[in-house]
Amino acid sequence: MDIRSIAQEVLQCAMKEQLDGAEVFCVSSSSTTVEAKKQQVDALEAACDQGFGLRVLIGSRLGFAYSSSADSTALTRLVAEAIASANSSE
Protein backbone atom coordinates (compact mmCIF):
# COMPACT_ATOMS: atom_id res chain seq x y z
CA MET A 1 0.00 0.00 0.00
CA ASP A 2 1.39 3.42 -0.89
CA ILE A 3 1.73 6.22 1.63
CA ARG A 4 -1.23 8.18 0.24
CA SER A 5 -3.55 5.18 0.64
CA ILE A 6 -2.33 4.69 4.20
CA ALA A 7 -2.99 8.36 5.00
CA GLN A 8 -6.51 8.05 3.58
CA GLU A 9 -7.14 4.91 5.65
CA VAL A 10 -6.02 6.68 8.84
CA LEU A 11 -8.21 9.68 8.08
CA GLN A 12 -11.26 7.52 7.29
CA CYS A 13 -10.78 5.58 10.53
CA ALA A 14 -10.40 8.81 12.52
CA MET A 15 -13.47 10.44 11.02
CA LYS A 16 -15.65 7.51 12.17
CA GLU A 17 -15.14 8.89 15.67
CA GLN A 18 -16.79 11.98 17.16
CA LEU A 19 -14.05 14.42 16.14
CA ASP A 20 -14.19 18.08 15.24
CA GLY A 21 -11.15 17.70 13.02
CA ALA A 22 -8.29 15.42 12.05
CA GLU A 23 -5.02 15.85 10.20
CA VAL A 24 -2.62 13.15 9.01
CA PHE A 25 1.13 13.66 8.57
CA CYS A 26 3.17 11.15 6.57
CA VAL A 27 6.93 10.87 6.29
CA SER A 28 8.82 8.51 4.04
CA SER A 29 12.56 8.40 3.51
CA SER A 30 15.16 6.14 2.03
CA SER A 31 18.93 6.08 2.23
CA THR A 32 21.83 4.16 0.80
CA THR A 33 25.24 3.86 2.45
CA VAL A 34 28.29 2.55 0.64
CA GLU A 35 31.59 1.91 2.42
CA ALA A 36 34.77 1.42 0.47
CA LYS A 37 38.17 0.13 1.55
CA LYS A 38 41.17 0.05 -0.72
CA GLN A 39 39.03 1.28 -3.60
CA GLN A 40 36.62 -1.65 -3.31
CA VAL A 41 33.08 -1.75 -1.96
CA ASP A 42 33.27 -3.17 1.55
CA ALA A 43 29.67 -2.70 2.69
CA LEU A 44 26.40 -1.64 1.15
CA GLU A 45 23.29 -0.78 3.15
CA ALA A 46 19.88 0.47 2.05
CA ALA A 47 17.09 1.56 4.37
CA CYS A 48 13.53 2.79 3.95
CA ASP A 49 11.57 4.35 6.80
CA GLN A 50 8.03 5.67 7.05
CA GLY A 51 5.90 7.13 9.78
CA PHE A 52 2.41 8.45 10.29
CA GLY A 53 1.23 11.13 12.68
CA LEU A 54 -2.36 11.95 13.49
CA ARG A 55 -3.56 15.16 15.09
CA VAL A 56 -7.19 15.26 16.25
CA LEU A 57 -9.39 18.01 17.57
CA ILE A 58 -12.19 17.27 20.03
CA GLY A 59 -13.84 20.53 21.05
CA SER A 60 -10.90 22.72 22.09
CA ARG A 61 -8.71 19.73 23.01
CA LEU A 62 -5.88 18.66 20.72
CA GLY A 63 -4.37 15.18 20.65
CA PHE A 64 -1.50 13.61 18.74
CA ALA A 65 -0.13 10.12 18.12
CA TYR A 66 2.55 8.63 15.86
CA SER A 67 3.25 5.19 14.41
CA SER A 68 5.94 3.76 12.19
CA SER A 69 3.83 0.71 11.38
CA ALA A 70 1.24 0.68 8.61
CA ASP A 71 -0.68 -2.50 9.44
CA SER A 72 -4.39 -2.16 10.23
CA THR A 73 -3.96 -2.89 13.94
CA ALA A 74 -1.31 -0.20 14.31
CA LEU A 75 -3.39 2.35 12.41
CA THR A 76 -6.45 1.64 14.56
CA ARG A 77 -4.26 2.03 17.67
CA LEU A 78 -2.89 5.30 16.24
CA VAL A 79 -6.42 6.75 16.10
CA ALA A 80 -7.25 5.52 19.62
CA GLU A 81 -4.04 6.98 21.05
CA ALA A 82 -4.62 10.37 19.40
CA ILE A 83 -8.15 10.47 20.83
CA ALA A 84 -6.90 9.44 24.27
CA SER A 85 -4.27 12.17 24.06
CA ALA A 86 -6.93 14.78 23.27
CA ASN A 87 -9.20 13.53 26.05
CA SER A 88 -6.39 13.81 28.60
CA SER A 89 -5.49 17.40 27.62
CA GLU A 90 -7.21 20.50 28.97
Side-chain angles (χ1 to χ4, degrees), residues 3-21:
I3 199 163
R4 177 173 277 197
S5 298
I6 295 166
Q8 289 173 337
E9 182 178 339
V10 170
L11 196 54
Q12 287 173 352
C13 185
M15 295 313 292
K16 290 178 185 175
E17 305 297 328
Q18 297 295 320
L19 304 176
D20 295 307

Side-chain angles (χ1 to χ4, degrees), residues 1-8 10 23-31 47-54 64-70 75 78:
M1 187 180 312
D2 71 326
I3 199 163
R4 177 173 277 197
S5 298
I6 295 166
Q8 289 173 337
V10 170
E23 186 174 30
V24 180
F25 298 86
C26 301
V27 175
S28 179
S29 66
S30 62
S31 64
C48 294
D49 297 308
Q50 62 183 10
F52 311 94
L54 174 64
F64 180 81
Y66 177 86
S67 178
S68 59
S69 179
L75 297 180
L78 172 69

